[in-house]
Amino acid sequence: MTFSKTSRQQTIQDLKNEPLDLLIIGGGITGAGVAIQAAASGIKTGLIEMQDFAEGTSSRSTKLVHGGIRYLKTFDVGVVADTVSERAVVQGIAPHIPRPTPMLLPIYDEPEATYDMFSVKIAMDLYDQLAGVTGTQYANYTIDHNEVLQREPGLKADKLKGAGVYLDFVNNDARLVIENIKEADELGAHVASHVKAVGMTYDAQGRVNGLEAHDELTDETFKINAKLVINTAGPWVDKVNALNTKAPKHETLRPTKGIHLVVDDSRLPVPQPTYFDSGLHDGRMIFVVPREGKTYFGTTDTDYTGDYKHPRVEQLDVDYLLKAVNNRYPNVQIKLADIEASWAGLRPLIANNGSSDYNGGGANAGKVSEESFNHLIDTVNNFENKTAVRGDVEKAISQLKTAHAEETTNPSQVSRGSDLKTAENGLLTLSGGKITDYRKMAAGALDLIRETLKTDFKEQVREVDSKKLQVSGGHFDPNNVDDTLKFYAQVAINKGIAEDDARDLANRFGSNVSRVVSYADQGVAEGLNLKETISLRYSVNEEMTLTPVDYLLRRTNFVLFHNDQLVAIKQPVIDEMAKLLNWDATEKAAQTAQLDAAIAEAQLDYLK
């Protein structure tokens, strides 16, 4: 089955002519999660995205399926329990994407430090119990000052007490979205990128019954009819809700911007993901993550009111991150000129929930009373000695008494919780959340969608177990990932792909490798090796890749992590796509200019 510019034409016709049960606005991770579950349930589903899939927030994260150990700072055990259990679910339904990786958490003896060596061990032990990894190869441990510096010699030695090491997962955010989208398409959903919602339509009773949509590629406006419409537009949720002119307006979000910077690993060598207090006494924490021969670091948290479609890295963002990283790695002294790539994204934070934070603070930021803290420690110790149960720990946490709680929140202290609402005239809105929660958020929305279809439209919808609904490329045993990916790599090797390239294809495409290597029969494209030839052809024909930016930025990581290869690969990719998509000279020039602009922006040319 193709999922391409050619099939898109038929999808647009289907959206015009076939009334839907459910129409989804937004093709980021939230909309993609709703689409796959709805289509699998037999719901006649459509999804429109005004840009490329994942072009907004869902390709601009820290690229981790993060367990949320920071939440234990404020004893948010419920948040951590939900996060680590859901993280395991995501790994099961997309086993070729999230990968377990130990995270290093250096501990410094500094004012306002998140953890000391005692509290980090308590937090990690509780974290492991919640994650179900106690006694496994992924169980946490601590290392002392000298061991930390042996592992990461570049870290600042002054006031370094030691470190904790605990389980986390690296992720490819944009790939997770496209694999959900592809599976939804295979299950029968009508999915189209570059289609923008420009208005709502209503029935005689004033209930939302569809959309006016604009095809951004053909400049055509058309109507899509649906029993239910759900807004999953991420940071654009309020802007989409504003199209619903027959319902009261409620501002839902308080978007914040986060940025990440990429340098060559020779400038900042780290052996594993590392997570530390910024050292700037602001309550924030910073990730430093090695990836594909590069090292990236972030993130920031600043309120955002600019262009949602085009957030940019600004000089103040760069200054902040460089100050924090150079403080922790005093001998590297990274400068603006060292930055090879960057990205900026918006977080769709719920405005009226100030409990658990994103970057380390929280509403429960006051001092815990000594009596209740000691009771918690005793309970945790009893739990580890099997003389208490998890419920005892949760009760002790719920009974913590604080000296004070913050009455106001800064951008780093807005909850990353989600919100599901139904407007008076039927428009559904699913907002907030984070990548780790996407499957669970979608499942909650599907419960409401099924009930509404039953109650309001007398339509019975079957339930599916979304915890076992694997995405495209992920159709294999999640308990045997390494051996399975070796098998898929061998499939590519048997087609003449070099071993390292074959492993890369297996990691990128998972169980779709057999489909990818079938494109080898067409020969090698000029200027590309066999791996990149077949990857590009598959992506154009089966991943709705419409532009070189789609391919080099979101379907692959060339723009972010392979700066040294961009010059060589850029023109051959454009030339091959021109052949596959029948571009004339004008279109080819426009696509080249668009790619050049994206690369220049990622490389921060406007700041250098």
Side-chain angles (χ1 to χ4, degrees):
M1 177 184 291
T2 63
F3 183 51
S4 65
K5 186 175 182 181
T6 300
S7 68
R8 182 182 182 277
Q9 297 171 2
Q10 182 59 53
T11 298
I12 298 296
Q13 291 303 311
D14 292 339
L15 289 170
K16 289 180 186 177
N17 300 323
E18 298 181 20
L20 303 170
D21 296 325
L22 176 69
L23 177 57
I24 302 162
I25 307 170
I29 192 61
T30 306
V34 173
I36 185 175
Q37 292 186 33
S41 301
I43 295 171
K44 194 165 187 180
T45 303
L47 180 148
I48 60 171
E49 161 58 45
M50 70 176 181
Q51 305 178 98
D52 180 31
F53 303 114
E55 187 168 342
T57 291
S58 296
S59 62
R60 300 164 183 262
S61 73
T62 306
K63 305 187 188 301
L64 301 168
V65 185
H66 190 40
I69 196 171
R70 59 181 174 267
Y71 293 116
L72 292 178
K73 174 188 176 185
T74 49
F75 303 102
D76 249 334
V77 69
V79 173
V80 178
D82 287 347
T83 300
V84 294
S85 62
E86 193 58 27
R87 182 181 66 186
V89 173
V90 174
Q91 197 276 329
I93 61 180
H96 62 308
I97 300 178
R99 300 294 175 79
T101 306
M103 178 79 70
L104 182 72
L105 181 58
I107 305 299
Y108 285 89
D109 182 12
E110 296 174 336
E112 303 173 27
T114 301
Y115 289 115
D116 57 29
M117 290 302 295
F118 173 75
S119 63
V120 78
K121 182 58 179 171
I122 295 294
M124 292 192 306
D125 285 348
L126 180 55
Y127 178 91
D128 281 4
Q129 294 284 353
L130 296 171
V133 299
T134 301
T136 73
Q137 62 176 317
Y138 298 118
N140 78 80
Y141 57 93
T142 58
I143 56 179
D144 64 20
H145 171 102
N146 291 334
E147 291 174 294
V148 176
L149 295 179
Q150 286 174 5
R151 188 174 295 197
E152 284 201 38
L155 273 170
K156 183 179 182 180
D158 184 40
K159 297 183 180 180
L160 175 66
K161 305 300 290 184
V165 181
Y166 67 95
L167 175 65
D168 223 325
F169 280 69
V170 295
N171 183 41
N172 188 323
D173 47 10
R175 293 292 319 168
L176 186 61
V177 174
I178 195 62
E179 299 291 34
N180 274 273
I181 289 287
K182 287 157 59 182
E183 190 69 18
D185 175 75
E186 293 244 5
L187 290 168
H190 303 304
V191 182
S193 60
H194 300 278
V195 176
K196 183 178 181 180
V198 294
M200 307 260 171
T201 62
Y202 306 89
D203 64 15
Q205 289 72 45
R207 183 186 179 97
V208 173
N209 69 352
L211 290 178
E212 289 187 3
H214 182 259
D215 189 332
E216 302 284 279
L217 302 185
T218 65
D219 202 30
E220 177 188 13
T221 300
F222 58 94
K223 291 184 178 179
I224 308 173
N225 295 315
K227 294 184 179 77
L228 296 176
V229 177
I230 185 167
N231 174 5
T232 62
W236 287 268
V237 155
D238 289 336
K239 296 180 185 298
V240 170
N241 282 340
L243 301 175
N244 188 11
T245 56
K246 296 188 178 182
K249 301 297 178 291
H250 302 287
E251 293 292 314
T252 299
L253 299 182
R254 177 186 174 183
T256 68
K257 185 180 76 171
I259 73 121
H260 296 79
L261 306 177
V262 183
V263 297
D264 191 78
D265 64 1
S266 64
R267 290 293 291 117
L268 182 56
V270 293
Q272 67 189 97
T274 304
Y275 185 40
F276 47 71
D277 289 309
S278 69
L280 304 178
H281 312 296
D282 57 8
R284 293 180 179 173
M285 298 187 75
I286 304 294
F287 290 100
V288 177
V289 184
R291 189 168 192 142
E292 301 178 47
K294 307 296 177 183
T295 302
Y296 68 90
F297 48 92
T299 180
T300 56
D301 252 325
T302 53
D303 279 315
Y304 188 78
T305 58
D307 180 2
Y308 282 25
K309 196 172 181 179
H310 197 198
R312 294 211 309 180
V313 176
E314 304 295 347
Q315 187 66 53
L316 287 175
D317 303 323
V318 175
D319 291 344
Y320 172 82
L321 279 186
L322 293 188
K323 184 177 181 180
V325 169
N326 287 331
N327 174 49
R328 287 297 184 228
Y329 297 91
N331 295 325
V332 299
Q333 291 308 304
I334 297 169
K335 299 178 176 62
L336 176 61
D338 296 313
I339 298 169
E340 295 186 355
S342 66
W343 65 91
L346 303 183
R347 300 186 189 90
L349 306 184
I350 303 298
N352 62 359
N353 189 334
S355 58
S356 298
D357 76 311
Y358 177 69
N359 244 353
N364 185 22
K367 297 287 186 181
V368 178
S369 71
E370 186 172 355
E371 180 183 1
S372 59
F373 180 77
N374 289 337
H375 175 61
L376 172 65
I377 297 304
D378 290 341
T379 306
V380 171
N381 287 334
N382 291 337
F383 178 76
E384 292 181 334
N385 293 328
K386 304 190 185 307
T387 58
V389 297
R390 173 172 162 164
D392 297 326
V393 177
E394 292 177 344
K395 182 178 180 181
I397 291 169
S398 69
Q399 293 174 342
L400 284 172
K401 295 180 174 61
T402 58
H404 65 275
E406 294 190 8
E407 298 178 358
T408 60
T409 59
N410 60 44
S412 290
Q413 295 174 313
V414 179
S415 173
R416 298 214 69 189
S418 62
D419 190 36
L420 176 62
K421 290 181 178 177
T422 306
E424 295 172 5
N425 60 357
L427 177 67
L428 304 174
T429 299
L430 179 59
S431 57
K434 53 186 182 293
I435 284 180
T436 311
D437 299 335
Y438 88 92
R439 195 278 325 164
K440 188 175 184 179
M441 290 171 60
L446 260 292
D447 288 341
L448 177 58
I449 289 162
R450 275 191 297 268
E451 183 61 33
T452 306
L453 287 172
K454 178 181 177 180
T455 302
D456 296 356
F457 299 95
K458 312 305 180 189
E459 186 173 320
Q460 293 287 340
V461 177
R462 68 176 179 267
E463 291 190 38
V464 297
D465 185 355
S466 60
K467 291 184 177 181
K468 297 179 180 177
L469 182 59
Q470 290 180 306
V471 305
S472 184
H475 293 280
F476 59 91
D477 182 1
N479 297 309
N480 193 28
V481 174
D482 291 342
D483 286 344
T484 304
L485 292 181
K486 287 179 183 176
F487 168 79
Y488 289 127
Q490 189 60 50
V491 170
I493 290 170
N494 293 343
K495 268 288 190 179
I497 308 293
E499 186 174 344
D500 287 347
D501 288 348
R503 281 198 297 267
D504 188 44
L505 289 175
N507 284 314
R508 187 184 306 173
F509 297 113
S511 58
N512 285 323
V513 162
S514 296
R515 292 164 73 158
V516 177
V517 299
S518 68
Y519 289 92
D521 297 338
Q522 301 171 19
V524 181
E526 185 176 351
L528 297 175
N529 64 20
L530 184 55
K531 182 196 84 166
E532 291 306 334
T533 296
I534 62 177
S535 174
L536 177 59
R537 287 175 181 160
Y538 171 81
S539 194
V540 169
N541 284 288
E542 304 193 38
E543 294 191 331
M544 197 61 73
T545 296
L546 303 179
T547 73
V549 178
D550 293 348
Y551 182 71
L552 292 171
L553 181 57
R554 286 176 290 277
R555 306 299 184 270
T556 68
N557 285 325
F558 275 99
V559 171
L560 298 182
F561 304 125
H562 297 282
N563 176 64
D564 49 335
Q565 298 178 41
L566 267 178
V567 173
I569 201 173
K570 183 180 76 170
Q571 195 58 50
V573 165
I574 293 169
D575 291 343
E576 182 67 7
M577 290 190 71
K579 294 176 184 176
L580 295 171
L581 296 171
N582 299 313
W583 293 340
D584 59 20
T586 300
E587 180 65 19
K588 188 174 179 179
Q591 293 290 346
T592 300
Q594 182 187 76
L595 177 59
D596 287 342
I599 293 171
E601 179 164 317
Q603 295 178 353
L604 301 181
D605 286 3
Y606 58 96
L607 295 181
K608 293 179 178 177

